[in-house]
Amino acid sequence: MAFFASLLLMSSCKGNKVADSNAEVAADSDSVVADTTPVDTMEQLISATPMPKAADELFDDFFFNFAANRKLQLSRINFPLPVDVAGKKEYVGRGDWRMDHFFMRQGYYTLIFDDERQMELVKDTAVAHVVVEKVSFAKKTVKQYLFDRIGGLWKMTAISYKPLYENKNASFLRFYERFATDSAFQVASLANPVVYVGADPDDDFATAESEITPEMWPDFASEMPSEMIYNIIYGQTYTESDRKVFVIRGISNGLEVDMVFERRGGRWLLTKLTA
């Protein structure tokens, strides 16, 4: 089951499955998945419409335009763009840049927070520095795109490649990679029970809280993004905390899944699922 398809199903009924060199810069950009028709249509609409000035207030509003509009993307990159690979700095010129759609063509993106309070930064218009992380589990690297708001306009100012083990979320990311790919480990990493918050079957406008036991998990488990995920740092400062909120957010449908993980006795456990 494609994860995006399961994300669509999750909102409909409770109990459904939950779902560097210049050459290197070009090679690992512009990831594409098989069925992208709705997102392609949205990209066409974004590209055909000039970005309103107000979009620079919130990074997300700017970024969705940046990832869909080739002309805007080229105009919002500070060329020559410094690219740091293992401490060696190179520069990418405008003519060498390849359009990067980031996560737009997979239809969803992922976020990591230490707690729910950090999630409010997404709506903070005072944020002036953001880092978009592309985490590759296969390469064990994190590609960081650095953005700064300069003169009221968001600009990409640098790219940096770092080993995954140096990332502030390294411990959780190592756990997540296995959690997303190993079904037995996934069951073993569930709190008993997991708190579940979903649609109230008796009220379309309310949510209800229930519990998921390990035995019930197959009715909720689904394919999760595993080879590569994104994360956006809106200024939140990560610590070696024992709590992480992993968010899977649909791009064009407003759907969202929040998974709360807590480290207990040295082990990460899923303790709460909101869909």
Side-chain angles (χ1 to χ4, degrees):
M1 177 189 300
F3 185 79
F4 187 57
S6 67
L7 185 62
L8 290 173
L9 288 172
M10 281 186 295
S11 69
S12 61
C13 59
K14 181 178 178 181
N16 269 4
K17 291 188 177 182
V18 177
D20 204 77
S21 63
N22 296 352
E24 184 171 1
V25 172
D28 71 349
S29 65
D30 201 12
S31 299
V32 179
V33 295
D35 185 5
T36 63
T37 303
V39 181
D40 286 344
T41 301
M42 184 176 65
E43 282 195 31
Q44 291 170 7
L45 290 172
I46 292 174
S47 297
T49 306
M51 188 182 79
K53 291 183 178 180
D56 275 303
E57 289 295 312
L58 288 176
F59 179 78
D60 280 5
D61 292 344
F62 155 76
F63 190 71
F64 292 142
N65 281 274
F66 180 84
N69 189 317
R70 183 183 303 273
K71 184 178 179 180
L72 176 68
Q73 188 167 121
L74 285 171
S75 71
R76 292 299 188 92
I77 298 176
N78 279 359
F79 292 115
L81 183 71
V83 178
D84 188 297
V85 183
K88 181 180 179 182
K89 186 172 290 187
E90 300 183 7
Y91 292 86
V92 175
R94 182 186 179 93
D96 296 315
W97 182 257
R98 176 180 173 182
M99 175 70 175
D100 195 329
H101 294 276
F102 298 90
F103 45 69
M104 291 292 287
R105 294 190 170 180
Q106 65 185 22
Y108 67 91
Y109 60 106
T110 50
L111 300 165
I112 302 173
F113 301 97
D114 276 358
D115 52 54
E116 288 82 356
R117 288 175 299 176
Q118 289 186 349
M119 297 172 70
E120 296 301 313
L121 286 168
V122 177
K123 305 173 185 177
D124 189 349
T125 58
V127 172
H129 177 74
V130 171
V131 178
V132 176
E133 295 186 320
K134 182 178 182 180
V135 180
S136 171
F137 292 112
K139 297 179 181 179
K140 306 299 182 188
T141 60
V142 179
K143 182 178 181 180
Q144 295 185 326
Y145 303 82
L146 280 63
F147 292 85
D148 292 280
R149 188 155 54 183
I150 303 171
L153 303 178
W154 282 105
K155 299 284 188 74
M156 183 192 290
T157 55
I159 290 177
S160 178
Y161 288 83
K162 296 184 178 180
L164 192 149
Y165 71 84
E166 289 185 358
N167 192 268
K168 294 293 185 180
N169 290 311
S171 171
F172 175 74
L173 290 171
R174 284 194 299 270
F175 158 80
Y176 173 82
E177 180 183 13
R178 187 176 177 187
F179 183 86
T181 57
D182 185 333
S183 58
F185 179 75
Q186 195 173 101
V187 173
S189 300
L190 302 175
N192 191 6
V194 174
V195 175
Y196 176 75
V197 180
D200 187 337
D202 300 319
D203 185 345
D204 292 338
F205 301 98
T207 58
E209 187 172 298
S210 57
E211 296 180 341
I212 303 172
T213 63
E215 294 75 22
M216 297 166 60
W217 184 248
D219 292 328
F220 292 83
S222 182
E223 181 182 351
M224 297 180 66
S226 57
E227 295 181 2
M228 181 270 295
I229 62 172
Y230 280 89
N231 181 39
I232 302 179
I233 304 173
Y234 299 90
Q236 64 264 35
T237 301
Y238 295 114
T239 63
E240 280 296 326
S241 69
D242 292 327
R243 195 169 190 269
K244 298 291 179 182
V245 182
F246 185 78
V247 178
I248 306 172
R249 184 170 292 170
I251 291 175
S252 60
N253 51 30
L255 303 184
E256 179 170 311
V257 177
D258 298 347
M259 307 175 76
V260 177
F261 294 88
E262 296 181 12
R263 186 160 46 186
R264 299 175 179 175
R267 296 176 55 225
W268 284 103
L269 299 174
L270 174 65
T271 61
K272 184 177 180 180
L273 172 65
T274 302

